[in-house]
Amino acid sequence: MPDTEIEAGNYSNVDFKTSIVLQSNDTKPVEYVVLREAAKMSGLIKDMLEDQESEEQIVIPLPNVNGRTLKYVIQYVEYHYNNKAEPIEKPLKGKVEDVICDADKKFLYTDLVKDGDEKQHELLIDCIMAANFLNIKDMLDLTCAAVASMIKGKTPEQIRALFNIENDFTPEEEEKIREENRWCEEA
């Protein structure tokens, strides 16, 4: 992964003709240089850049994205702006790793799902939130498909345990919901 982090406020080595700076929401903001074309994979940033001069110094603060997550967002867009991701089938019929490229497998299962251990998925969830906020459709599809693959075949209790979700239904409410949705268990 290219190291695009820069010292906050030090733009002397940034070529603003080809790049912009994205700033995280950390207490001490982390700034990354990213290629303009790669950044345009984000619908939000693409819309912002349409109103700017192409050589203007652009630093975009991202109020909903921390530095750790932003590093992975940049890694994704810098790879995929020239290597279009294949569409992921919906609904996902098998495992996500069977329908994605090797680079995306490595991206997902090295850090986002720490060492392939689906219980260690905090960064994956953060990347889903960032991809949604930044409107990066391909990244959102990939990360959501990874979650879909993680929950496929699991009981509601196993899913709650995996994501630390408290069950706030009474046994009666739970039985009613199961009865109303029995058709999806049969499918």
Side-chain angles (χ1 to χ4, degrees):
M1 170 174 25
D3 185 15
T4 59
E5 184 176 343
I6 61 170
E7 182 182 331
N10 182 2
Y11 309 128
S12 59
N13 292 327
V14 178
D15 179 1
F16 283 102
K17 292 177 186 148
T18 60
S19 302
I20 63 169
V21 174
L22 299 179
Q23 184 183 75
S24 73
N25 70 351
D26 299 288
T27 305
K28 182 178 182 240
V30 181
E31 294 184 341
Y32 293 96
V33 176
V34 62
L35 293 170
R36 281 176 182 263
E37 289 307 308
K40 288 179 181 178
M41 283 191 69
S42 160
L44 177 73
I45 293 172
K46 182 178 180 185
D47 290 346
M48 291 174 151
L49 292 176
E50 285 179 358
D51 300 335
Q52 306 298 321
E53 296 294 323
S54 63
E55 295 182 20
E56 191 173 338
Q57 177 177 312
I58 298 177
V59 178
I60 300 175
L62 301 173
N64 295 358
V65 185
N66 65 40
R68 183 181 106 175
T69 305
L70 184 55
K71 179 170 96 173
Y72 289 96
V73 169
I74 292 169
Q75 178 186 349
Y76 182 87
V77 299
E78 286 198 338
Y79 177 79
H80 279 292
Y81 88 99
N82 271 336
N83 303 292
K84 184 83 172 115
E86 289 294 320
I88 297 174
E89 62 186 352
K90 295 176 194 151
L92 187 63
K93 292 181 178 54
K95 292 192 169 283
V96 69
E97 54 266 23
D98 296 336
V99 296
I100 60 175
C101 69
D102 288 339
D104 284 345
K105 284 180 202 171
K106 185 174 187 271
F107 177 74
L108 281 176
Y109 295 110
T110 302
D111 292 324
L112 301 195
V113 179
K114 186 90 175 120
D115 299 323
D117 178 2
E118 62 184 30
K119 290 184 174 107
Q120 297 186 46
H121 57 263
E122 178 186 338
L123 187 54
L124 174 65
I125 302 303
D126 289 345
C127 283
I128 289 172
M129 302 299 282
N132 186 51
F133 171 71
L134 293 167
N135 189 15
I136 305 172
K137 183 186 179 322
D138 290 347
M139 184 177 179
L140 185 61
D141 287 350
L142 174 68
T143 52
C144 287
V147 170
S149 190
M150 289 166 61
I151 66 175
K152 193 172 189 81
K154 289 186 171 55
T155 65
E157 293 76 21
Q158 291 169 321
I159 295 168
R160 283 190 201 105
L162 180 61
F163 293 101
N164 297 317
I165 300 170
E166 186 179 320
N167 184 2
D168 56 354
F169 291 116
T170 65
E172 295 79 21
E173 290 172 324
E174 203 167 319
E175 184 54 40
K176 182 179 180 208
I177 291 168
R178 284 186 204 276
E179 191 57 42
E180 290 172 353
N181 295 289
R182 191 164 310 285
W183 61 271
C184 51
E185 290 177 11
E186 295 166 0

